[in-house]
């Protein structure tokens, strides 16, 4: 992942009539010294009230997500929608399609700590094209 201004900003901008989107803010990016070609990246994902993430993929990254605050609904591939509360976590295998990621609350924020182990140089989040 290249840490850029675009990375730290919302993946899409919502109009006043649309739901808000998440915001991914990188914390640390470090090539793994003992695993050639792999990079460790940590980030905070903020979900304002009623916010969602666009459907997306993380390429061949292994992803670990931990709920720091609030409640988040998530759906990967053909799995059912799951709800995660503060202190709960999940993993996303390489190649997963993240179809749903949203704040379950319309009034309170939610926040995730997300850790990626990716191929060095790969983007860690690629939104699906708009429909």
């Amino acid at each position: 992942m290249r840490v850029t201004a675009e990375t730290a900003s919302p993946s899409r901008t919502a109009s006043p009539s649309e739901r808000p989107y998440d915001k991914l803010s990188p914390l640390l990016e470090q090539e793994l010294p003992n695993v050639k070609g792999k990079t460790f990246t940590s980030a905070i994902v903020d979900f304002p009230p009623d916010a969602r993430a666009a459907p997306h993929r993380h390429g061949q990254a292994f992803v670990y997500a931990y709920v720091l605050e609030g409640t988040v609904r998530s759906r990967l591939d053909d799995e059912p929608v799951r709800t995660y509360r503060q202190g709960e976590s999940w993993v996303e295998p390489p190649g997963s399609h993240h179809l749903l990621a949203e704040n379950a609350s319309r009034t309170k924020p939610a926040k995730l700590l997300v850790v990626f182990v990716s191929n060095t140089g790969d983007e860690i989040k690629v939104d699906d094209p708009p429909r």
Side-chain angles (χ1 to χ4, degrees):
M1 174 183 128
R2 286 158 276 174
V3 180
T4 64
E6 291 100 27
T7 307
S9 63
S11 53
R12 296 185 184 168
T13 304
S15 73
S17 64
E18 292 181 350
R19 293 173 64 184
Y21 283 93
D22 64 320
K23 178 183 175 187
L24 185 139
S25 301
L27 298 172
L28 173 71
E29 180 181 37
Q30 175 69 51
E31 288 187 36
L32 295 174
N34 59 339
V35 185
K36 185 177 172 91
K38 296 292 181 180
T39 296
F40 170 97
T41 304
S42 61
I44 297 292
V45 179
D46 287 294
F47 287 90
D50 200 35
R52 63 182 169 152
H56 60 274
R57 298 176 189 269
H58 299 290
Q60 290 305 303
F62 176 82
V63 181
Y64 170 76
Y66 178 84
V67 182
L68 294 168
E69 177 184 336
T71 303
V72 175
R73 280 191 289 265
S74 178
R75 179 173 177 223
L76 298 173
D77 299 314
D78 295 332
E79 295 179 10
V81 174
R82 293 198 169 104
T83 300
Y84 299 93
R85 291 170 177 73
Q86 184 176 4
E88 296 181 324
S89 60
W90 72 89
V91 296
E92 299 179 27
S96 295
H97 191 194
H98 206 156
L99 298 167
L100 173 72
E102 67 181 2
N103 185 342
S105 174
R106 291 181 178 209
T107 59
K108 297 178 182 174
K111 185 181 294 193
L112 302 175
L113 169 66
V114 184
V115 173
F116 306 87
V117 177
S118 62
N119 294 326
T120 300
D122 284 0
E123 292 295 322
I124 60 167
K125 183 178 183 231
V126 178
D127 290 345
D128 290 1
R131 292 192 227 178

